[in-house]
Amino acid sequence: MQYNSQTTSLGRPVIMWLLVTAVSLSLVLMILGAPLALSSGHLFPGLTIYRSFSYVCHQIPERSFFIAGHQFGVCARCTGLYFGFAAASLAYPVVRSLRMTTAPARKWLFLAAAPLAIDFSLTYFGIWENTHTSRLLTGLLLGSVAVFFVMPGFMELSLRRWGKADSTPAENVVRTPVLSTNPAAPSDYSAPHRRI
């Protein structure tokens, strides 16, 4: 278990949390904004969002939700991942301290990913056909649990000291010898009979 100082300022962790939450919420808004942009005649922003998400999602229409006659920016499973991550990011400070920099045991991440893997595998091998709901729910579960593995890394990053002392090259550091007024403690090597 890690000791977390209660005197550490919460300023930088709060800023980092706000930044991660803002990015995750903006991705959710883009997922919904792409079809809304197309339906209102704003082709360039809508198609740009679709193009951006095409690098991380297959965007198959049969596996996507639709709004205003156009599919979401990502498929149903990715929608769950993004929405789950954004919701858990919002709730994170209520569930865990922003000072905590340790992630939970990895088994929880694997357990959260298991339903998604099972849902995908059953369809892949032709045993069962998954649905929009099963894709969305398994994505929501994994996305929301993933926050508790990602956010501690960002919190640790925010708590690091980033200053001029850290960026000074070693050859420019002036070292002064430390003179001790206390005599050195006796060494066990000076008396062979005291060695262990």
Side-chain angles (χ1 to χ4, degrees):
M1 186 163 165
Q2 179 185 1
Y3 171 74
N4 297 307
S5 171
Q6 297 302 310
T7 60
T8 304
S9 170
L10 267 179
R12 288 189 290 172
V14 167
I15 291 169
M16 184 63 80
W17 167 71
L18 287 172
L19 182 65
V20 172
T21 303
V23 169
S24 63
L25 287 174
S26 66
L27 289 170
V28 165
L29 290 175
M30 287 171 53
I31 290 169
L32 298 173
L36 294 175
L38 287 185
S39 70
S40 62
H42 297 92
L43 296 179
F44 181 73
L47 293 175
T48 301
I49 293 170
Y50 280 115
R51 176 79 171 174
S52 300
F53 280 121
S54 72
Y55 294 106
V56 293
C57 179
H58 56 70
Q59 298 175 324
I60 297 173
E62 297 81 28
R63 296 183 174 211
S64 302
F65 291 110
F66 279 71
I67 187 171
H70 299 278
Q71 73 182 67
F72 280 18
V74 293
C75 70
R77 192 178 315 278
C78 289
T79 298
L81 288 167
Y82 286 107
F83 278 61
F85 193 94
S89 292
L90 275 172
Y92 189 84
V94 177
V95 179
R96 273 189 113 188
S97 168
L98 293 178
R99 289 186 186 102
M100 291 188 72
T101 59
T102 56
R106 270 190 229 126
K107 69 178 178 181
W108 298 113
L109 185 61
F110 288 115
L111 285 172
L116 189 147
I118 292 168
D119 186 53
F120 170 80
S121 298
L122 290 175
T123 300
Y124 183 80
F125 292 112
I127 299 169
W128 180 69
E129 186 62 35
N130 57 25
T131 64
H132 282 11
T133 304
S134 70
R135 292 183 203 114
L136 177 70
L137 292 177
T138 56
L140 278 170
L141 177 63
L142 182 57
S144 60
V145 171
V147 168
F148 296 94
F149 291 86
V150 173
M151 199 68 81
F154 283 117
M155 292 302 109
E156 181 178 346
L157 191 63
S158 73
L159 291 170
R160 288 189 180 173
R161 297 205 182 268
W162 302 94
K164 292 182 180 180
D166 294 341
S167 61
T168 306
E171 63 270 6
N172 294 339
V173 175
V174 177
R175 293 181 178 23
T176 56
V178 177
L179 300 176
S180 174
T181 57
N182 297 331
S187 170
D188 283 345
Y189 291 107
S190 62
H193 63 280
R194 288 192 299 192
R195 290 186 198 160
I196 298 176

